[in-house]
Amino acid sequence: MTTAQTHLRRMADVLDEARHDPSDEVPPVSLLLGLQRLIPCDCACFSELDVPTRIHVNEQETPYDDWGDVGGDATLEGYWRWRHQHLQCVEVARVHVSPQVTQMTDFMSLRELMHLPIYTEHLRPFKCIAAVALPTAPARTRVYQFFRQDPKPFTDHEMTTLRLMAPHLYAIYQEAALRRRPPVRLTHRELDVLRCLARGMSTPQIAAQLAVTPGTVRKHLENAFGRLGVSSRAAAVARVFPEAVTV
């Protein structure tokens, strides 16, 4: 086999292992470790963040001795304080309908990054970050990240690997989410409201679309939140439609 064929086989093996992973985690726990074998890095993580509430609703990490220091309260405060400087993160948070693959140098040079508070208060010592952002509900992020202390950017070969893997990562996430998701018992009207939310519509827009009052929309949302056990619109959409951005 050629080098290219061998690499494609390794990619296929990682995906096949994930699809046969017996764990009930979403995504399968073996997938992150498999990706780190394909894209060597100091550490990797998968996370789902509800931006309005600042809550990590799902997080997986590969072993890394200094995660405690990197992810402490001080660095998290630095993240929220300087998040607007993390242009890659800002891009990840935009609504997109297909997986998106980026690395930090797509947005700024290493020299620029290292002079910003987002680096000194949150990202340090990692100088290079590659990301695969999966579609999710508005105001949420769902992303794989690969961190390196080495200042050299991820290679074209590595980024191409992530681009080829990205649609499969999304498909595996969808499959795992559907297997794990328990039945959601909502009324037809509550589902209609949540479908509108998944399209990014405001309360007045939903009221106009469904020919009801804004107060009725809010009541449907209140009832849906109670049934779903969530406290935000983004969390409700992600709970009912975890596999898609729009419905």
Side-chain angles (χ1 to χ4, degrees):
M1 296 179 69
T2 66
T3 301
Q5 289 173 324
T6 300
H7 188 65
L8 288 172
R9 171 53 60 189
R10 291 177 61 209
M11 292 166 60
D13 288 344
V14 168
L15 297 173
D16 186 62
E17 180 184 13
R19 287 197 164 98
H20 290 87
D21 190 323
S23 71
D24 63 353
E25 295 294 320
V26 181
V29 293
S30 64
L31 188 51
L32 191 61
L33 291 170
L35 290 171
Q36 190 173 21
R37 292 195 301 270
L38 290 174
I39 310 296
C41 55
D42 294 300
C43 52
C45 74
F46 174 84
S47 67
E48 295 187 79
L49 175 65
D50 185 76
V51 176
T53 62
R54 300 185 177 185
I55 293 174
H56 279 87
V57 295
N58 185 9
E59 191 162 23
Q60 299 177 13
E61 302 166 346
T62 60
Y64 178 65
D65 291 341
D66 296 328
W67 265 128
D69 296 333
V70 173
D73 292 341
T75 58
L76 288 177
E77 289 177 8
Y79 170 77
W80 289 110
R81 184 182 303 113
W82 302 109
R83 183 174 179 270
H84 62 281
Q85 295 181 344
H86 195 333
L87 300 183
Q88 184 185 31
C89 185
V90 171
E91 181 62 29
V92 162
R94 300 186 194 280
V95 174
H96 48 280
V97 297
S98 60
Q100 182 185 65
V101 179
T102 62
Q103 68 168 316
M104 185 66 77
T105 53
D106 295 337
F107 304 93
M108 66 182 70
S109 69
L110 177 59
R111 182 185 296 273
E112 292 172 319
L113 173 66
M114 293 182 68
H115 283 86
L116 293 175
I118 186 65
Y119 175 76
T120 57
E121 294 191 25
H122 177 66
L123 295 175
R124 188 170 57 184
F126 302 121
K127 301 175 181 66
C128 293
I129 305 172
V132 181
L134 305 184
T136 187
R140 280 209 171 190
T141 62
R142 178 184 291 161
V143 60
Y144 286 94
Q145 291 179 292
F146 306 87
F147 300 88
R148 283 181 180 166
Q149 298 185 42
D150 191 320
K152 294 180 181 178
F154 289 82
T155 66
D156 290 342
H157 179 263
E158 290 167 335
M159 297 304 290
T160 297
T161 296
L162 290 177
R163 291 188 186 97
L164 291 173
M165 295 285 283
H168 301 287
L169 301 183
Y170 185 33
I172 289 173
Y173 181 96
Q174 292 175 299
E175 294 162 6
L178 287 172
R179 285 197 303 270
R180 184 180 181 185
R181 182 176 64 179
V184 178
R185 294 180 175 83
L186 299 177
T187 67
H188 290 299
R189 210 45 155 175
E190 289 164 356
L191 283 171
D192 288 340
V193 170
L194 291 179
R195 288 189 180 95
C196 290
L197 277 184
R199 295 186 174 96
M201 297 171 67
S202 66
T203 296
Q205 289 172 328
I206 296 172
Q209 175 74 19
L210 301 180
V212 297
T213 67
T216 299
V217 171
R218 286 189 286 269
K219 187 61 177 178
H220 284 313
L221 286 173
E222 179 183 337
N223 292 337
F225 287 2
R227 295 175 193 271
L228 296 171
V230 299
S231 58
S232 74
R233 297 184 176 207
V237 170
R239 170 73 172 81
V240 179
F241 310 119
E243 71 283 359
V245 177
T246 57
V247 181

